Amino acid sequence: MKTIDSDGDCVSSSLAAAAILKALGKEFLLLNAGPFKRPEIRQYEKEFTSQLPFMSQEDKKNCGLLIVDCSELPRLGDMGESLKGFDTFIVDHHKTAEVPAGAQSVIDPTSPAAVCLLTMLYELVVGQPDPETAKIMFLGLSTDTGFFRFLREDSAPVFELAARLVRYGANPNKMYNKITGGKPWSTRKLLGLLLSKTERYCGGKLALTYESMEDTKNWGQEGRDSDSLYSALLSVEGVEAAVFLRQETESSCTGGFRSLDNIDVSAVAAKFGGGGHKNASGMSVQGRVDTIIPQIVKEFSKIL
């Protein structure tokens, strides 16, 4: 299953769960409505279907729903409504997770990625993953930890898990190049434009920039590289949080929030119906960038 705008952890968690079910001899269907915009996950799109086959109520009673890296049905996109009525189990790690009524769950906010939980479950139930499965698991771990740069002094178990995946066949060098390389030239031009539009607020502690619909039209949507934008903004002296907004339609926006150290951006994202991690969160909201910016700045002024 997915949140809106799939990432490496979402895809790798789904594939890890599928590997467990396959090893147990269980039938399964991988659902993900996409889009698979990120270059590092595009190759896995063929493993998923975007449509749930018609199922009677009796069929639903005999079928379970496993949701990974997400716990809120509205964040599953257009298919969210069709997924009601199943015996549901959730594996997630987001602090702002809200489990639907009647669902069972394992939600561990101390885990840096949902795939960490699925990897440990695989090792416990199945054993050692094959090299290809290990590479898929390492993808999710790498993307959600910013290739380990988001981890702190209490992260030894995560590095131990990463070491096991390397022993199983994952290659850190190839994975880093897969995640960071192959970007279209247009993304470098867009990055420069977004940096030129950046403004600082809250005494210089907040850096905020935005992408208009015209920007999207001019520079496309392929191979987006928001990680480079966040890294550039957070590397500025005095900046503790960064926000990137995109005007998706005339009446809707998406937003990404990143922060350093103890700044909890998930608290701000939650104010706009979003959520995520303490230092990395997102949102999707109705409105226009020019009216949303003052609201976001107001919320950040409470924590910066």
Side-chain angles (χ1 to χ4, degrees), residues 145-251:
T145 61
F147 216 87
F148 308 103
R149 69 183 187 273
F150 300 148
L151 298 179
R152 303 182 186 281
E153 64 275 3
D154 60 352
S155 301
V158 183
F159 283 101
E160 290 166 0
L161 186 148
R164 294 200 301 275
L165 291 176
V166 172
R167 284 199 298 272
Y168 299 153
N171 185 314
N173 176 262
K174 289 184 178 179
M175 185 59 67
Y176 181 82
N177 290 334
K178 179 178 181 178
I179 293 172
T180 62
K183 307 296 183 184
W185 175 247
S186 59
T187 65
R188 307 300 93 182
K189 301 288 285 185
L190 178 60
L191 177 61
L193 174 63
L194 296 176
L195 289 172
S196 71
K197 294 165 70 170
T198 303
E199 298 290 344
R200 296 175 69 179
Y201 302 88
C202 303
K205 295 180 180 180
L206 173 65
L208 186 152
T209 189
Y210 65 92
E211 178 180 328
S212 67
M213 294 177 64
E214 184 69 18
D215 297 334
T216 305
K217 178 181 177 181
N218 289 337
W219 302 108
Q221 299 187 49
E222 294 300 314
R224 289 314 184 97
D225 190 19
S226 55
D227 282 346
S228 293
L229 174 63
Y230 294 127
S231 294
L233 296 179
L234 291 173
S235 68
V236 176
E237 182 179 8
V239 172
E240 298 180 11
V243 173
F244 169 42
L245 300 175
R246 181 185 295 131
Q247 190 75 50
E248 301 286 357
T249 69
E250 291 290 349
S251 59

Side-chain angles (χ1 to χ4, degrees), residues 10 45 98 109 124 166 182 198 208 219 303:
C10 167
E45 183 173 5
E98 295 182 5
L124 179 65
V166 172
T198 303
L208 186 152
W219 302 108
I303 63 173

